[in-house]
Amino acid sequence: MFFKDADPKGKKAADGACRAAFIFWAVILFVNTAFEYFVREPLISKFSFLLCLGLAVFFLTERLVKWLAVAKTRKTLR
């Protein structure tokens, strides 16, 4: 992706964030479909809201993975 960092930690963080966002979207769309099938009304009707939630999951996961990598590096250096 165009906003990935060049370093390996950034690539690992972006790959993990992509997986997390994809899994989040898959689960939330499945739940939304099941809810619409049984209740006849979608749980979340605005797809722009779903997009924003997925992007938030992506960026938060990327930041968390980078933070954990830095914390692990600091711990091994001590």
Side-chain angles (χ1 to χ4, degrees):
M1 293 173 51
F2 63 91
F3 50 88
K4 281 188 189 178
D5 293 343
D7 63 83
K9 290 179 186 175
K11 183 179 180 334
K12 181 180 177 186
D15 289 345
C18 284
R19 282 188 206 100
F22 180 77
I23 291 169
F24 171 78
W25 275 323
V27 168
I28 203 75
L29 288 173
F30 177 75
V31 168
N32 204 31
T33 302
F35 195 83
E36 188 172 1
Y37 180 76
F38 291 115
V39 183
R40 304 278 188 236
E41 188 173 319
L43 185 63
I44 301 172
S45 61
K46 302 227 182 238
F47 284 103
S48 59
F49 183 67
L50 288 174
L51 175 66
C52 291
L53 284 176
L55 290 174
V57 167
F58 175 83
F59 288 117
L60 290 173
T61 304
E62 184 180 30
R63 186 169 296 251
L64 178 68
V65 170
K66 283 182 181 179
W67 181 76
L68 290 174
V70 168
K72 185 178 178 182
T73 304
R74 287 184 184 164
K75 190 174 184 179
T76 58
L77 292 177
R78 291 182 185 177

